[in-house]
Amino acid sequence: MMYDILQTTSYRYAYPVPVARHVVRMVPVDQSGQRVIVSHFAVEPEPVEWREERDFFGNKVVHIRIETAHTSFVVRTSARVVVEAGPLHDPLSSPAWEAVREAAFTCADIGPSSPAHHLFASPAVPLSAPITKWAARSFPPGRPMLEGAIDLMNRLHEEFTYDSRATDVSTPPLEAFEMRAGVCQDFAHIMIAGLRGLGLPAAYVSGFLRTEPPPGKERLQGADATHAWVSVWCGEDIGWQGLDPTNALVVATDHVVLAHGRDYSDVAPIGGVLFGSGRQKLSVAVDVIPVVEKPVLGEAARAARSGPVTPASGGAPAKS
């Protein structure tokens, strides 16, 4: 499936900000099952420093320094991405979850895709006895790993309410769990905490959902903003499988990956430090449009190039 992705993220400040440093993860990356054909990325105001790198997990990270007084910070991203569905795995044919746990803890690989990095507590996902006990109901002795993970995903979707007012970006998983409410970040963190509490590897994935659902399908929760879901390790043969607890979906071609890590703190779209005072207002607009006959990337790319800085995918920043 081919998509044109358009995203504009805007911060408005009550008073001028003289100096700011930002860390931005808003450009999709090439990975297994996903190919970035072209991408454009621009910010306003113009930075005095722009540095790109890949982090440990392979995510594309842009470091920006601004030294011009400004009352807004705007990030515009456009990209064309091809997403291919991975192999279909029979959940009942996956290894028993106890075998997966043993394989994860005895894994000697310490590379970026190793399950070893996703077994333990992380900055935003501490282990929690109540969440572990709740998750354990999906994993009776001998149950196939993927079947149990899908059951856990479905239970979370059924028992929890999607409510954008219930939590914020700093809400701990246990608090969202006790409320039985939250957004995609909370659902992902709760599922990860439950799996890790049982000794099962689970990673956090950020990205996008297609804006226009196929005919006859309902619009998915989180399609108008950056989305989050979970990647579960199901043993050496199956590897990592994406599961979206917000929408009770096994990830296939409706999801576009931006970044992945241990939890939200590893993949936050925008972070950093700014000097200023007063409140700030954030607005995000996202479109993930299937490319059929009339692609929209050309117009989006021209809009991005009108910004002060436009690095092409894999290239250095270029002045317009």
Side-chain angles (χ1 to χ4, degrees):
M1 190 71 198
M2 182 181 293
Y3 295 106
D4 281 343
I5 300 171
L6 313 174
Q7 179 178 17
T8 301
T9 300
S10 303
Y11 287 87
R12 306 291 176 181
Y13 309 122
Y15 299 98
V17 172
V19 178
R21 288 180 176 268
H22 297 283
V23 179
V24 183
R25 303 176 187 85
M26 294 179 62
V27 180
V29 295
D30 288 305
Q31 63 169 37
S32 176
Q34 179 171 298
R35 178 165 53 93
V36 180
I37 298 175
V38 63
S39 65
H40 297 274
F41 178 77
V43 302
E44 300 174 8
E46 183 175 357
V48 296
E49 179 184 343
W50 181 299
R51 178 170 54 87
E52 296 184 14
E53 67 179 13
R54 300 278 181 166
D55 66 15
F56 175 76
F57 294 111
N59 306 316
K60 188 170 184 178
V61 183
V62 182
H63 298 265
I64 295 168
R65 178 163 56 95
I66 299 172
E67 295 185 351
T68 302
H70 55 287
T71 56
S72 66
F73 175 62
V74 182
V75 180
R76 295 187 178 91
T77 304
S78 60
R80 175 164 289 181
V81 180
V82 175
V83 179
E84 298 175 350
L88 295 175
H89 300 289
D90 179 6
L92 296 175
S93 298
S94 61
W97 69 271
E98 297 95 335
V100 171
R101 179 178 60 187
E102 181 178 356
F105 275 100
T106 58
C107 178
D109 179 17
I110 57 172
S113 61
S114 170
H117 305 298
H118 305 282
L119 281 169
F120 306 102
S122 54
V125 181
L127 299 186
S128 166
I131 297 178
T132 300
K133 181 179 179 180
W134 173 80
R137 289 163 41 201
S138 292
F139 293 92
R143 190 173 199 180
M145 173 65 202
L146 186 53
E147 183 191 33
I150 291 174
D151 181 71
L152 179 62
M153 172 189 73
N154 289 334
R155 287 175 52 215
L156 207 159
H157 176 73
E158 293 168 1
E159 297 176 24
F160 289 68
T161 301
Y162 186 93
D163 184 353
S164 60
R165 298 168 296 179
T167 60
D168 59 35
V169 71
S170 62
T171 301
L174 181 58
E175 183 176 331
F177 174 77
E178 291 173 341
M179 290 189 294
R180 294 297 197 273
V183 294
C184 56
Q185 174 185 309
D186 304 299
F187 290 8
H189 279 167
I190 291 168
M191 185 168 174
I192 290 170
L195 289 166
R196 290 183 188 167
L198 296 169
L200 300 171
Y204 185 101
V205 188
S206 69
F208 305 112
L209 283 173
R210 63 183 291 168
T211 305
E212 299 175 357
K217 299 292 185 180
E218 294 184 359
R219 186 178 178 85
L220 299 175
Q221 293 278 16
D224 293 324
T226 305
H227 192 52
W229 58 96
V230 178
S231 188
V232 181
W233 193 71
C234 298
E236 292 287 349
D237 292 337
I238 294 178
W240 293 94
Q241 174 63 63
L243 299 176
D244 181 352
T246 305
N247 295 290
L249 286 176
V250 175
V251 171
T253 59
D254 283 339
H255 296 67
V256 178
V257 175
L258 265 181
H260 56 90
R262 297 165 299 170
D263 56 41
Y264 177 81
S265 67
D266 283 339
V267 304
I270 299 180
V273 177
L274 55 84
F275 295 90
S277 61
R279 299 176 64 86
Q280 59 180 338
K281 182 179 181 180
L282 169 65
S283 62
V284 180
V286 174
D287 280 308
V288 180
I289 305 170
V291 177
V292 182
E293 296 179 354
K294 188 178 180 181
V296 300
L297 181 63
E299 180 180 350
R302 287 193 293 273
R305 283 195 290 270
S306 68
V309 181
T310 308
S313 177
K319 298 286 185 179
S320 59

